[in-house]
Amino acid sequence: MERFVDAAPGVRLWTEDRGAADASPLLLIMGAQASGMGWPDALVDLLAARHRVIRYDHRDTGRSTWAFDQRPYPIRELADDALAVLDGLGVERAHVVGLSMGGLLTQLLVADHPERLLSATLIGTSALSEAPYVRPDGTRIPPGRLPGIAPRVLEMWSRPVADLGPEAEVERRVEHWRVLGGDQLPFDAEYFRALERKIIEHTGHYDAGTAHGRADASGLDRTALLATASVPTLVISAPAEPVFPPPHPDHLAQVIPGSRLVEIPGMGHALPPAVHAPLADAILGHTSGPGGS
Protein backbone atom coordinates (compact mmCIF):
# COMPACT_ATOMS: atom_id res chain seq x y z
CA MET A 1 0.00 0.00 0.00
CA GLU A 2 1.28 3.45 -0.93
CA ARG A 3 0.46 6.65 0.92
CA PHE A 4 1.92 10.05 1.78
CA VAL A 5 2.66 11.32 5.28
CA ASP A 6 3.33 14.88 6.40
CA ALA A 7 6.76 15.17 8.01
CA ALA A 8 6.97 18.94 8.48
CA PRO A 9 5.24 22.06 7.17
CA GLY A 10 5.40 21.81 3.38
CA VAL A 11 7.10 18.39 3.43
CA ARG A 12 5.29 15.22 2.35
CA LEU A 13 6.96 11.82 2.19
CA TRP A 14 6.00 8.92 -0.05
CA THR A 15 5.72 5.61 1.79
CA GLU A 16 4.92 2.02 0.90
CA ASP A 17 4.33 -0.98 3.12
CA ARG A 18 4.27 -4.66 2.21
CA GLY A 19 3.48 -7.76 4.21
CA ALA A 20 0.78 -8.59 6.71
CA ALA A 21 -0.69 -5.52 8.38
CA ASP A 22 -0.48 -7.20 11.79
CA ALA A 23 3.13 -8.36 11.39
CA SER A 24 5.95 -6.72 13.30
CA PRO A 25 6.91 -3.46 11.51
CA LEU A 26 10.31 -3.16 9.84
CA LEU A 27 11.38 0.27 8.55
CA LEU A 28 13.96 0.51 5.75
CA ILE A 29 16.00 3.76 5.60
CA MET A 30 17.94 4.35 2.38
CA GLY A 31 21.17 6.26 1.79
CA ALA A 32 21.86 9.80 0.62
CA GLN A 33 20.06 10.94 -2.53
CA ALA A 34 18.45 7.50 -2.78
CA SER A 35 14.74 6.82 -3.19
CA GLY A 36 13.14 4.13 -1.08
CA MET A 37 12.84 2.20 -4.34
CA GLY A 38 16.57 1.63 -3.99
CA TRP A 39 15.61 -1.22 -1.65
CA PRO A 40 15.16 -3.97 -4.26
CA ASP A 41 11.70 -5.52 -4.49
CA ALA A 42 13.15 -9.03 -4.12
CA LEU A 43 14.83 -8.13 -0.83
CA VAL A 44 11.73 -6.33 0.43
CA ASP A 45 9.61 -9.39 -0.37
CA LEU A 46 11.99 -11.69 1.52
CA LEU A 47 11.67 -9.48 4.59
CA ALA A 48 7.89 -9.11 4.11
CA ALA A 49 7.48 -12.85 4.60
CA ARG A 50 7.84 -12.11 8.32
CA HIS A 51 7.33 -8.36 8.68
CA ARG A 52 5.22 -5.40 7.68
CA VAL A 53 8.01 -3.80 5.66
CA ILE A 54 7.94 -0.02 5.24
CA ARG A 55 10.11 1.89 2.78
CA TYR A 56 9.91 5.57 1.97
CA ASP A 57 11.46 8.34 -0.08
CA HIS A 58 13.65 10.82 1.78
CA ARG A 59 13.01 14.50 1.17
CA ASP A 60 14.47 15.49 -2.19
CA THR A 61 14.20 11.96 -3.57
CA GLY A 62 11.54 10.02 -5.39
CA ARG A 63 7.96 11.22 -4.94
CA SER A 64 8.62 13.06 -1.69
CA THR A 65 8.89 16.86 -1.54
CA TRP A 66 11.88 18.36 -3.36
CA ALA A 67 12.42 21.77 -1.76
CA PHE A 68 15.92 21.96 -0.26
CA ASP A 69 16.79 25.21 -2.03
CA GLN A 70 13.69 26.88 -0.57
CA ARG A 71 13.82 25.15 2.85
CA PRO A 72 17.31 23.80 3.64
CA TYR A 73 17.61 21.34 6.50
CA PRO A 74 20.38 19.55 8.41
CA ILE A 75 21.02 15.84 7.91
CA ARG A 76 19.88 15.12 11.47
CA GLU A 77 16.37 16.32 10.55
CA LEU A 78 16.04 13.33 8.24
CA ALA A 79 15.98 11.13 11.35
CA ASP A 80 12.88 13.06 12.45
CA ASP A 81 11.38 12.22 9.07
CA ALA A 82 11.80 8.52 9.83
CA LEU A 83 9.82 9.00 13.03
CA ALA A 84 7.21 10.96 11.08
CA VAL A 85 6.81 7.96 8.77
CA LEU A 86 6.21 5.67 11.75
CA ASP A 87 3.77 8.15 13.28
CA GLY A 88 1.95 8.64 9.99
CA LEU A 89 1.48 4.89 9.58
CA GLY A 90 0.43 4.36 13.20
CA VAL A 91 3.55 2.43 14.20
CA GLU A 92 4.66 2.78 17.82
CA ARG A 93 7.86 0.69 17.58
CA ALA A 94 9.69 -0.90 14.67
CA HIS A 95 12.74 -2.83 13.66
CA VAL A 96 14.86 -0.36 11.69
CA VAL A 97 17.38 -1.18 8.93
CA GLY A 98 19.60 1.61 7.62
CA LEU A 99 22.02 1.62 4.69
CA SER A 100 24.81 4.21 4.27
CA MET A 101 23.35 7.59 5.33
CA GLY A 102 20.36 5.54 6.46
CA GLY A 103 22.73 3.81 8.86
CA LEU A 104 23.73 7.19 10.28
CA LEU A 105 20.06 8.09 10.72
CA THR A 106 19.39 4.75 12.38
CA GLN A 107 22.18 5.45 14.87
CA LEU A 108 20.52 8.78 15.68
CA LEU A 109 17.32 6.87 16.41
CA VAL A 110 19.17 4.33 18.54
CA ALA A 111 20.74 7.16 20.54
CA ASP A 112 17.89 9.67 20.73
CA HIS A 113 14.70 7.60 20.45
CA PRO A 114 15.44 4.04 21.64
CA GLU A 115 11.85 3.67 22.83
CA ARG A 116 10.71 3.65 19.17
CA LEU A 117 13.00 0.78 18.09
CA LEU A 118 12.58 -2.95 18.49
CA SER A 119 16.00 -3.51 16.93
CA ALA A 120 18.50 -1.84 14.61
CA THR A 121 20.49 -3.15 11.65
CA LEU A 122 23.35 -1.02 10.31
CA ILE A 123 24.76 -1.51 6.81
CA GLY A 124 27.56 0.33 4.99
CA THR A 125 27.99 3.11 7.53
CA SER A 126 30.42 4.48 10.13
CA ALA A 127 30.04 5.09 13.84
CA LEU A 128 28.73 8.42 15.11
CA SER A 129 31.31 8.20 17.87
CA GLU A 130 34.71 9.55 18.78
CA ALA A 131 35.55 6.38 20.70
CA PRO A 132 38.70 4.74 19.31
CA TYR A 133 38.68 1.44 17.46
CA VAL A 134 40.51 -1.19 19.48
CA ARG A 135 42.35 -3.69 17.30
CA PRO A 136 42.69 -7.34 18.40
CA ASP A 137 46.24 -6.58 19.53
CA GLY A 138 44.97 -3.80 21.79
CA THR A 139 46.10 -0.89 19.59
CA ARG A 140 43.69 2.04 19.83
CA ILE A 141 42.99 3.88 16.57
CA PRO A 142 41.09 7.20 16.48
CA PRO A 143 38.09 7.10 14.10
CA GLY A 144 39.70 9.75 11.90
CA ARG A 145 42.54 7.36 11.13
CA LEU A 146 40.38 4.46 9.99
CA PRO A 147 40.48 3.70 6.24
CA GLY A 148 38.75 6.32 4.12
CA ILE A 149 36.59 6.22 1.03
CA ALA A 150 38.24 4.47 -1.92
CA PRO A 151 39.88 6.89 -4.41
CA ARG A 152 37.80 5.53 -7.32
CA VAL A 153 34.62 6.43 -5.42
CA LEU A 154 35.88 9.92 -4.56
CA GLU A 155 36.87 10.48 -8.19
CA MET A 156 33.40 9.52 -9.39
CA TRP A 157 31.72 11.73 -6.78
CA SER A 158 33.91 14.67 -7.84
CA ARG A 159 32.67 14.62 -11.43
CA PRO A 160 30.08 17.25 -12.37
CA VAL A 161 26.75 15.78 -13.42
CA ALA A 162 25.63 17.07 -16.79
CA ASP A 163 22.11 16.69 -18.14
CA LEU A 164 22.65 14.59 -21.25
CA GLY A 165 19.21 13.01 -21.24
CA PRO A 166 17.54 10.13 -19.40
CA GLU A 167 19.50 7.27 -20.96
CA ALA A 168 22.83 8.95 -20.24
CA GLU A 169 21.71 9.51 -16.66
CA VAL A 170 20.80 5.82 -16.33
CA GLU A 171 24.25 4.84 -17.59
CA ARG A 172 25.92 7.26 -15.17
CA ARG A 173 24.04 5.64 -12.30
CA VAL A 174 24.91 2.15 -13.50
CA GLU A 175 28.61 3.04 -13.47
CA HIS A 176 28.15 4.47 -10.00
CA TRP A 177 26.78 1.12 -8.82
CA ARG A 178 29.65 -0.67 -10.56
CA VAL A 179 32.15 1.29 -8.46
CA LEU A 180 30.12 1.04 -5.24
CA GLY A 181 29.60 -2.69 -5.62
CA GLY A 182 33.24 -3.51 -5.01
CA ASP A 183 35.36 -6.07 -6.76
CA GLN A 184 34.34 -9.41 -5.25
CA LEU A 185 30.99 -10.15 -6.93
CA PRO A 186 30.27 -10.16 -10.69
CA PHE A 187 28.58 -6.94 -11.74
CA ASP A 188 25.22 -7.26 -13.50
CA ALA A 189 24.84 -3.97 -15.37
CA GLU A 190 21.43 -4.89 -16.76
CA TYR A 191 20.06 -5.51 -13.25
CA PHE A 192 21.08 -2.04 -12.08
CA ARG A 193 19.97 -0.50 -15.38
CA ALA A 194 16.47 -1.91 -14.79
CA LEU A 195 16.54 -0.75 -11.16
CA GLU A 196 17.42 2.83 -12.12
CA ARG A 197 14.82 2.96 -14.88
CA LYS A 198 12.22 1.89 -12.33
CA ILE A 199 13.42 4.56 -9.89
CA ILE A 200 13.21 7.24 -12.60
CA GLU A 201 9.70 6.09 -13.54
CA HIS A 202 8.72 6.16 -9.86
CA THR A 203 10.19 9.64 -9.37
CA GLY A 204 8.71 11.12 -12.54
CA HIS A 205 11.97 12.72 -13.67
CA TYR A 206 15.65 11.86 -13.95
CA ASP A 207 17.16 14.83 -12.09
CA ALA A 208 20.23 13.95 -10.05
CA GLY A 209 19.58 15.20 -6.52
CA THR A 210 22.30 16.98 -4.57
CA ALA A 211 20.45 18.14 -1.44
CA HIS A 212 21.86 15.60 1.01
CA GLY A 213 25.41 16.35 -0.05
CA ARG A 214 24.78 20.04 0.66
CA ALA A 215 22.87 19.61 3.92
CA ASP A 216 24.47 20.59 7.23
CA ALA A 217 26.16 17.49 8.66
CA SER A 218 27.01 18.97 12.06
CA GLY A 219 25.62 17.77 15.37
CA LEU A 220 25.77 14.06 14.57
CA ASP A 221 28.18 12.89 17.27
CA ARG A 222 26.50 10.49 19.72
CA THR A 223 29.53 9.02 21.50
CA ALA A 224 28.06 8.92 25.01
CA LEU A 225 24.55 7.86 24.04
CA LEU A 226 25.72 5.04 21.77
CA ALA A 227 28.05 3.78 24.50
CA THR A 228 25.03 3.17 26.73
CA ALA A 229 22.56 2.13 24.00
CA SER A 230 20.20 -0.74 24.80
CA VAL A 231 18.64 -1.33 21.36
CA PRO A 232 19.56 -4.81 20.03
CA THR A 233 21.86 -4.00 17.13
CA LEU A 234 23.15 -5.98 14.15
CA VAL A 235 26.11 -4.63 12.19
CA ILE A 236 26.59 -5.96 8.66
CA SER A 237 30.20 -6.31 7.56
CA ALA A 238 30.78 -6.05 3.81
CA PRO A 239 34.30 -7.18 2.83
CA ALA A 240 34.23 -5.36 -0.55
CA GLU A 241 32.86 -2.12 0.93
CA PRO A 242 34.58 0.88 -0.78
CA VAL A 243 32.94 3.69 1.25
CA PHE A 244 33.26 2.49 4.85
CA PRO A 245 35.63 -0.47 4.50
CA PRO A 246 36.60 -2.79 7.33
CA PRO A 247 37.31 -2.22 10.15
CA HIS A 248 34.50 0.37 10.19
CA PRO A 249 31.89 -2.35 10.91
CA ASP A 250 34.08 -3.75 13.70
CA HIS A 251 34.42 -0.28 15.19
CA LEU A 252 30.67 0.24 15.01
CA ALA A 253 30.07 -3.07 16.77
CA GLN A 254 32.43 -1.96 19.53
CA VAL A 255 30.73 1.41 19.91
CA ILE A 256 27.24 -0.04 20.54
CA PRO A 257 27.27 -2.50 23.45
CA GLY A 258 26.14 -6.03 22.71
CA SER A 259 26.10 -5.60 18.94
CA ARG A 260 26.34 -8.64 16.69
CA LEU A 261 28.58 -8.54 13.63
CA VAL A 262 27.66 -10.61 10.55
CA GLU A 263 29.66 -10.67 7.32
CA ILE A 264 27.88 -10.96 3.97
CA PRO A 265 30.42 -12.58 1.59
CA GLY A 266 31.41 -10.44 -1.37
CA MET A 267 29.16 -7.52 -0.43
CA GLY A 268 30.15 -3.94 -1.20
CA HIS A 269 28.13 -0.73 -0.90
CA ALA A 270 25.28 -2.01 -3.07
CA LEU A 271 22.42 -4.53 -3.01
CA PRO A 272 22.87 -6.87 -6.02
CA PRO A 273 20.82 -10.09 -6.17
CA ALA A 274 23.68 -12.19 -4.79
CA VAL A 275 23.39 -10.54 -1.38
CA HIS A 276 19.58 -10.52 -1.04
CA ALA A 277 19.15 -13.95 0.53
CA PRO A 278 22.11 -13.85 2.95
CA LEU A 279 21.27 -10.28 3.96
CA ALA A 280 17.60 -11.13 4.53
CA ASP A 281 18.62 -14.20 6.54
CA ALA A 282 20.87 -12.07 8.73
CA ILE A 283 18.21 -9.41 9.29
CA LEU A 284 15.43 -11.93 9.99
CA GLY A 285 17.68 -13.86 12.34
CA HIS A 286 18.28 -10.63 14.23
CA THR A 287 14.66 -9.48 14.35
CA SER A 288 13.54 -12.85 15.70
CA GLY A 289 15.79 -12.31 18.74
CA PRO A 290 15.36 -9.74 21.53
CA GLY A 291 12.53 -7.40 20.69
CA GLY A 292 10.55 -10.11 18.94
CA SER A 293 9.31 -10.48 15.40
Side-chain angles (χ1 to χ4, degrees):
M1 178 183 297
E2 298 181 32
R3 69 186 84 173
F4 287 87
V5 303
D6 294 320
V11 177
R12 303 189 76 205
L13 304 178
W14 174 88
T15 74
E16 178 204 67
D17 58 278
R18 296 190 184 190
D22 60 351
S24 182
L26 188 153
L27 178 68
L28 299 172
I29 307 182
M30 243 299 153
Q33 303 304 157
S35 158
M37 297 298 286
W39 294 101
D41 288 345
L43 176 60
V44 172
D45 288 341
L46 288 172
L47 298 173
R50 292 251 300 277
H51 291 285
R52 176 190 176 190
V53 180
I54 301 163
R55 58 181 173 177
Y56 70 100
D57 291 339
H58 292 296
R59 303 183 194 196
D60 294 280
T61 75
R63 295 182 187 171
S64 293
T65 301
W66 290 56
F68 182 82
D69 290 333
Q70 292 74 42
R71 293 188 296 276
Y73 48 83
I75 289 293
R76 60 184 178 275
E77 196 166 314
L78 296 178
D80 296 333
D81 286 356
L83 294 179
V85 168
L86 296 181
D87 291 341
L89 300 183
V91 175
E92 182 178 354
R93 301 180 71 200
H95 301 282
V96 179
V97 179
L99 170 65
S100 195
M101 183 189 75
L104 299 182
L105 301 178
T106 302
Q107 290 178 70
L108 292 179
L109 297 179
V110 167
D112 300 341
H113 300 281
E115 74 283 355
R116 301 299 302 271
L117 275 67
L118 294 169
S119 74
T121 298
L122 306 172
I123 309 169
T125 193
S126 63
L128 299 180
S129 173
E130 292 301 315
Y133 167 59
V134 182
R135 294 172 50 181
D137 64 4
T139 303
R140 298 167 69 85
I141 302 176
R145 293 182 58 192
L146 292 176
I149 300 170
R152 64 187 183 278
V153 175
L154 291 174
E155 190 278 328
M156 174 161 278
W157 286 353
S158 71
R159 299 177 194 169
V161 178
D163 182 355
L164 300 177
E167 285 306 308
E169 175 60 17
V170 167
E171 294 308 312
R172 184 192 70 83
R173 297 184 190 187
V174 169
E175 288 309 302
H176 188 219
W177 286 122
R178 186 190 302 275
V179 172
L180 290 182
D183 55 7
Q184 294 188 21
L185 294 174
F187 182 73
D188 184 346
E190 193 51 45
Y191 169 81
F192 284 100
R193 193 169 286 119
L195 175 67
E196 287 300 336
R197 285 178 176 150
K198 183 174 183 178
I199 290 171
I200 288 171
E201 180 181 8
H202 165 79
T203 303
H205 59 79
Y206 61 90
D207 296 352
T210 61
H212 300 159
R214 294 183 286 137
D216 178 6
S218 65
L220 298 180
D221 179 72
R222 294 295 187 276
T223 301
L225 289 171
L226 290 177
T228 58
S230 58
V231 176
T233 300
L234 170 68
V235 178
I236 297 298
S237 179
E241 169 68 61
V243 180
F244 297 113
H248 279 279
D250 306 79
H251 179 226
L252 189 50
Q254 290 178 0
V255 161
I256 302 177
S259 297
R260 289 197 310 122
L261 188 68
V262 173
E263 180 177 302
I264 305 299
M267 186 172 177
H269 199 78
L271 298 172
V275 309
H276 294 174
L279 182 58
D281 287 346
I283 294 170
L284 293 175
H286 178 56
T287 59
S288 66
S293 62

